[in-house]
Protein backbone atom coordinates (compact mmCIF):
# COMPACT_ATOMS: atom_id res chain seq x y z
CA UNK A 1 0.00 0.00 0.00
CA UNK A 2 3.00 2.36 -0.02
CA UNK A 3 3.55 2.47 -3.81
CA UNK A 4 2.35 5.61 -5.57
CA UNK A 5 -0.24 4.72 -8.20
CA UNK A 6 0.98 6.61 -11.26
CA UNK A 7 -2.19 5.80 -13.21
CA UNK A 8 -4.18 8.27 -11.09
CA UNK A 9 -4.31 11.69 -12.78
CA UNK A 10 -5.27 15.17 -11.70
CA UNK A 11 -4.02 15.37 -8.08
CA UNK A 12 -3.64 19.11 -8.48
CA UNK A 13 -6.68 19.77 -10.65
CA UNK A 14 -7.98 22.29 -8.09
CA UNK A 15 -4.73 24.18 -7.65
CA UNK A 16 -2.17 24.16 -4.82
CA UNK A 17 -4.79 24.82 -2.13
CA UNK A 18 -7.52 22.48 -3.36
CA UNK A 19 -8.34 18.84 -2.58
CA UNK A 20 -6.01 16.24 -4.07
CA UNK A 21 -8.14 13.24 -3.17
CA UNK A 22 -11.25 12.15 -1.29
CA UNK A 23 -11.11 9.13 1.04
CA UNK A 24 -14.53 7.65 1.74
CA UNK A 25 -15.53 5.27 4.52
CA UNK A 26 -17.92 2.49 3.51
CA UNK A 27 -20.29 1.18 6.22
CA UNK A 28 -22.77 3.83 7.31
CA UNK A 29 -21.12 6.50 5.16
CA UNK A 30 -21.44 5.30 1.58
CA UNK A 31 -23.75 2.33 2.00
CA UNK A 32 -26.49 1.77 4.56
CA UNK A 33 -24.98 -1.34 6.15
CA UNK A 34 -24.62 -0.39 9.82
CA UNK A 35 -27.99 -2.00 10.50
CA UNK A 36 -26.75 -5.13 8.70
CA UNK A 37 -23.77 -5.33 11.07
CA UNK A 38 -26.02 -4.77 14.06
CA UNK A 39 -28.48 -7.45 12.91
CA UNK A 40 -25.61 -9.91 12.38
CA UNK A 41 -24.15 -9.19 15.82
CA UNK A 42 -27.46 -9.08 17.69
CA UNK A 43 -28.87 -12.23 16.07
CA UNK A 44 -25.73 -14.24 16.83
CA UNK A 45 -25.66 -13.23 20.49
CA UNK A 46 -29.41 -13.70 20.82
CA UNK A 47 -28.93 -17.28 19.58
CA UNK A 48 -26.27 -17.64 22.28
CA UNK A 49 -28.80 -16.52 24.90
CA UNK A 50 -27.48 -12.98 25.36
CA UNK A 51 -29.74 -10.37 23.70
CA UNK A 52 -28.06 -7.04 22.96
CA UNK A 53 -29.58 -3.57 23.24
CA UNK A 54 -28.98 -0.09 21.83
CA UNK A 55 -26.34 0.63 24.48
CA UNK A 56 -24.16 -2.01 22.87
CA UNK A 57 -24.95 -0.77 19.36
CA UNK A 58 -23.53 2.71 19.92
CA UNK A 59 -20.31 1.24 21.29
CA UNK A 60 -19.77 -1.00 18.27
CA UNK A 61 -20.05 1.49 15.40
CA UNK A 62 -17.03 2.07 13.19
CA UNK A 63 -14.44 -0.12 14.86
CA UNK A 64 -12.53 -3.22 13.75
CA UNK A 65 -14.02 -6.65 14.33
CA UNK A 66 -11.48 -7.43 17.06
CA UNK A 67 -12.71 -4.46 19.08
CA UNK A 68 -16.37 -5.38 18.50
CA UNK A 69 -15.84 -8.92 19.72
CA UNK A 70 -13.83 -7.78 22.74
CA UNK A 71 -16.67 -5.46 23.80
CA UNK A 72 -19.35 -8.10 23.27
CA UNK A 73 -17.54 -10.91 25.06
CA UNK A 74 -16.81 -8.67 28.04
CA UNK A 75 -20.39 -7.39 28.13
CA UNK A 76 -21.93 -10.87 27.98
CA UNK A 77 -19.32 -12.77 29.97
CA UNK A 78 -19.18 -15.50 27.34
CA UNK A 79 -16.00 -17.54 27.04
CA UNK A 80 -15.84 -18.08 23.29
CA UNK A 81 -13.14 -18.24 20.63
CA UNK A 82 -12.97 -14.70 19.16
CA UNK A 83 -12.11 -16.09 15.73
CA UNK A 84 -15.25 -18.24 15.70
CA UNK A 85 -17.39 -15.30 16.81
CA UNK A 86 -15.86 -13.13 14.06
CA UNK A 87 -16.54 -15.80 11.45
CA UNK A 88 -20.15 -16.10 12.61
CA UNK A 89 -20.77 -12.35 12.50
CA UNK A 90 -19.07 -11.94 9.11
CA UNK A 91 -21.04 -14.79 7.56
CA UNK A 92 -24.36 -13.43 8.82
CA UNK A 93 -23.41 -10.00 7.49
CA UNK A 94 -22.48 -11.40 4.07
CA UNK A 95 -25.77 -13.29 3.92
CA UNK A 96 -27.63 -10.03 4.59
CA UNK A 97 -25.47 -8.10 2.12
CA UNK A 98 -25.82 -10.63 -0.68
CA UNK A 99 -28.92 -8.95 -2.05
CA UNK A 100 -27.17 -5.57 -2.12
CA UNK A 101 -27.13 -2.63 0.26
CA UNK A 102 -28.86 0.69 -0.32
CA UNK A 103 -26.76 3.81 -0.66
CA UNK A 104 -26.86 6.35 2.13
CA UNK A 105 -28.81 9.55 1.34
CA UNK A 106 -26.69 11.74 -0.92
CA UNK A 107 -24.18 8.95 -1.69
CA UNK A 108 -25.20 8.67 -5.36
CA UNK A 109 -24.69 12.42 -5.73
CA UNK A 110 -21.27 12.17 -4.07
CA UNK A 111 -20.19 9.41 -6.44
CA UNK A 112 -21.42 11.47 -9.39
CA UNK A 113 -19.55 14.55 -8.12
CA UNK A 114 -16.28 12.63 -7.80
CA UNK A 115 -16.70 11.16 -11.28
CA UNK A 116 -17.75 14.40 -12.96
CA UNK A 117 -14.78 16.38 -11.64
CA UNK A 118 -12.35 13.47 -11.90
CA UNK A 119 -11.41 13.82 -8.25
CA UNK A 120 -9.13 10.94 -7.22
CA UNK A 121 -11.03 8.89 -4.66
CA UNK A 122 -10.49 5.75 -2.58
CA UNK A 123 -12.71 3.63 -0.37
CA UNK A 124 -11.14 3.12 3.08
CA UNK A 125 -12.91 0.66 5.36
CA UNK A 126 -12.36 -1.45 8.48
CA UNK A 127 -14.28 -4.24 6.75
CA UNK A 128 -12.55 -7.27 5.24
CA UNK A 129 -11.49 -7.34 1.59
CA UNK A 130 -14.16 -9.90 0.63
CA UNK A 131 -16.88 -7.64 2.05
CA UNK A 132 -15.55 -4.53 0.33
CA UNK A 133 -15.35 -6.37 -2.99
CA UNK A 134 -18.96 -7.52 -2.61
CA UNK A 135 -20.11 -3.95 -1.93
CA UNK A 136 -18.14 -2.60 -4.90
CA UNK A 137 -19.54 -5.34 -7.12
CA UNK A 138 -23.06 -4.37 -6.10
CA UNK A 139 -22.26 -0.69 -6.76
CA UNK A 140 -21.25 -1.40 -10.33
CA UNK A 141 -19.56 1.58 -11.98
CA UNK A 142 -17.87 3.76 -9.33
CA UNK A 143 -15.12 6.41 -9.18
CA UNK A 144 -12.80 4.70 -6.67
CA UNK A 145 -9.24 4.22 -7.91
CA UNK A 146 -8.64 1.58 -5.23
CA UNK A 147 -9.81 0.49 -1.80
CA UNK A 148 -8.09 -0.21 1.52
CA UNK A 149 -9.49 -3.05 3.65
CA UNK A 150 -9.19 -3.60 7.38
CA UNK A 151 -7.48 -6.96 6.91
CA UNK A 152 -4.82 -5.42 4.64
CA UNK A 153 -3.28 -3.13 7.25
CA UNK A 154 -1.44 -3.86 10.49
CA UNK A 155 -3.65 -1.54 12.53
CA UNK A 156 -7.08 -0.42 11.43
CA UNK A 157 -9.33 2.43 12.56
CA UNK A 158 -9.10 4.33 14.89
CA UNK A 159 -5.40 4.05 14.00
CA UNK A 160 -4.48 6.38 11.10
CA UNK A 161 -2.72 3.62 9.15
CA UNK A 162 -5.57 2.92 6.66
CA UNK A 163 -5.89 6.57 5.69
CA UNK A 164 -2.13 7.10 5.57
CA UNK A 165 -1.88 4.04 3.30
CA UNK A 166 -4.36 5.62 0.89
CA UNK A 167 -2.60 8.99 1.01
CA UNK A 168 0.75 7.36 0.21
CA UNK A 169 -0.72 5.36 -2.65
CA UNK A 170 -2.02 8.57 -4.19
CA UNK A 171 1.34 10.28 -3.58
CA UNK A 172 -0.67 13.09 -1.98
CA UNK A 173 -0.45 15.32 1.08
CA UNK A 174 -2.59 14.30 4.09
CA UNK A 175 -3.82 17.86 4.59
CA UNK A 176 -5.23 17.88 1.07
CA UNK A 177 -7.02 14.53 1.26
CA UNK A 178 -10.57 14.89 2.56
CA UNK A 179 -11.84 12.02 4.69
CA UNK A 180 -15.60 11.37 4.75
CA UNK A 181 -16.75 9.35 7.79
CA UNK A 182 -19.85 8.48 9.80
CA UNK A 183 -18.38 7.12 13.06
CA UNK A 184 -16.28 8.65 15.85
CA UNK A 185 -13.52 6.04 15.49
CA UNK A 186 -13.25 6.70 11.76
CA UNK A 187 -13.15 10.45 12.37
CA UNK A 188 -10.34 9.88 14.89
CA UNK A 189 -8.42 7.84 12.31
CA UNK A 190 -8.74 10.51 9.63
CA UNK A 191 -7.74 13.32 11.95
CA UNK A 192 -4.77 11.33 13.32
CA UNK A 193 -3.62 10.92 9.71
CA UNK A 194 -3.62 14.72 9.37
CA UNK A 195 -6.57 14.84 6.98
CA UNK A 196 -9.49 17.27 7.05
CA UNK A 197 -12.63 15.34 7.95
CA UNK A 198 -16.23 15.72 6.87
CA UNK A 199 -18.41 13.74 9.27
CA UNK A 200 -21.94 12.57 8.52
CA UNK A 201 -23.00 10.77 11.74
CA UNK A 202 -25.08 7.61 11.32
CA UNK A 203 -25.58 5.92 14.72
CA UNK A 204 -23.26 7.67 17.17
CA UNK A 205 -23.20 11.49 17.44
CA UNK A 206 -20.16 13.49 16.31
CA UNK A 207 -19.52 17.03 17.49
CA UNK A 208 -18.02 19.77 15.30
CA UNK A 209 -14.36 20.53 15.99
CA UNK A 210 -11.49 22.53 14.44
CA UNK A 211 -10.62 21.01 11.06
CA UNK A 212 -13.84 18.98 11.08
CA UNK A 213 -17.10 19.66 9.29
CA UNK A 214 -20.24 17.87 10.48
CA UNK A 215 -23.18 17.43 8.09
CA UNK A 216 -26.59 15.86 8.57
CA UNK A 217 -26.45 14.17 5.14
CA UNK A 218 -24.09 13.61 2.22
CA UNK A 219 -26.68 15.53 0.19
CA UNK A 220 -25.20 18.72 1.72
CA UNK A 221 -21.77 17.95 0.28
CA UNK A 222 -20.58 19.80 -2.82
CA UNK A 223 -17.35 20.85 -4.49
CA UNK A 224 -17.21 24.14 -2.58
CA UNK A 225 -17.40 22.28 0.72
CA UNK A 226 -14.60 19.92 -0.28
CA UNK A 227 -12.47 22.93 -1.14
CA UNK A 228 -13.31 24.70 2.11
CA UNK A 229 -12.43 21.60 4.15
CA UNK A 230 -8.93 21.63 2.66
CA UNK A 231 -8.57 25.41 2.89
CA UNK A 232 -9.12 25.21 6.64
CA UNK A 233 -6.11 22.87 6.99
CA UNK A 234 -3.52 24.28 4.54
Amino acid sequence: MTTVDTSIPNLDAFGPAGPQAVLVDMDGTLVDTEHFWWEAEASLFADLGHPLDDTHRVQLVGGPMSRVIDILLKATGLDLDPAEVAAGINQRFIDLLDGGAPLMPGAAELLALLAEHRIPAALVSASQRRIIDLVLKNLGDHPFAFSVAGDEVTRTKPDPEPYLAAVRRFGAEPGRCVVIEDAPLGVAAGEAAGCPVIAVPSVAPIAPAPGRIVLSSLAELDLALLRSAVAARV
Side-chain angles (χ1 to χ4, degrees):
M1 279 300 169
T2 58
T3 303
V4 174
D5 193 333
T6 57
S7 69
I8 300 168
N10 241 13
L11 280 182
D12 290 307
F14 299 101
Q20 288 184 312
V22 174
L23 313 178
V24 185
D25 172 58
M26 187 176 76
D27 296 298
T29 300
L30 184 69
V31 288
D32 190 8
T33 51
E34 290 294 1
H35 65 289
F36 285 1
W37 282 115
W38 174 243
E39 184 174 341
E41 294 153 358
S43 65
L44 176 64
F45 277 83
D47 288 348
L48 293 169
H50 289 268
L52 305 177
D53 57 36
D54 286 346
T55 302
H56 300 109
R57 184 177 188 181
V58 172
Q59 296 178 58
L60 304 180
V61 175
M65 182 62 72
S66 59
R67 174 183 173 275
V68 167
I69 293 171
D70 184 57
I71 290 172
L72 290 176
L73 292 182
K74 286 180 179 178
T76 59
L78 290 171
D79 183 16
L80 299 172
D81 180 357
E84 291 183 4
V85 177
I89 292 173
N90 277 321
Q91 188 56 57
R92 290 181 187 224
F93 177 82
I94 288 171
D95 291 344
L96 291 167
L97 185 63
D98 193 45
L103 291 173
M104 294 295 290
E109 290 80 2
L110 170 62
L111 296 176
L113 176 75
L114 297 173
E116 177 185 355
H117 295 279
R118 292 179 51 79
I119 301 172
L123 193 65
V124 182
S125 174
S127 289
Q128 294 181 350
R129 165 55 54 196
R130 61 176 180 155
I131 291 174
I132 292 177
D133 287 346
L134 182 55
V135 169
L136 290 176
K137 178 182 177 182
N138 289 336
L139 278 181
D141 189 28
H142 61 77
F144 298 117
F146 58 86
S147 55
V148 178
D151 54 348
E152 295 173 340
V153 292
T154 304
R155 296 172 300 277
T156 189
K157 304 173 188 179
D159 193 274
E161 182 181 348
Y163 283 117
L164 288 174
V167 169
R168 287 193 296 268
R169 183 160 173 180
F170 276 126
E173 303 167 29
R176 295 177 61 196
C177 293
V178 181
V179 166
I180 303 177
E181 271 280 358
D182 76 299
L185 292 179
V187 169
E191 291 178 345
C195 301
V197 174
I198 296 176
V200 187
S202 60
V203 177
I206 299 171
R212 179 193 309 165
I213 297 170
V214 180
L215 306 177
S216 60
S217 167
L218 286 176
E220 300 175 34
L221 186 56
D222 58 18
L223 190 57
L225 197 56
L226 289 175
R227 283 175 165 156
S228 68
V230 171
R233 294 296 298 269
V234 297

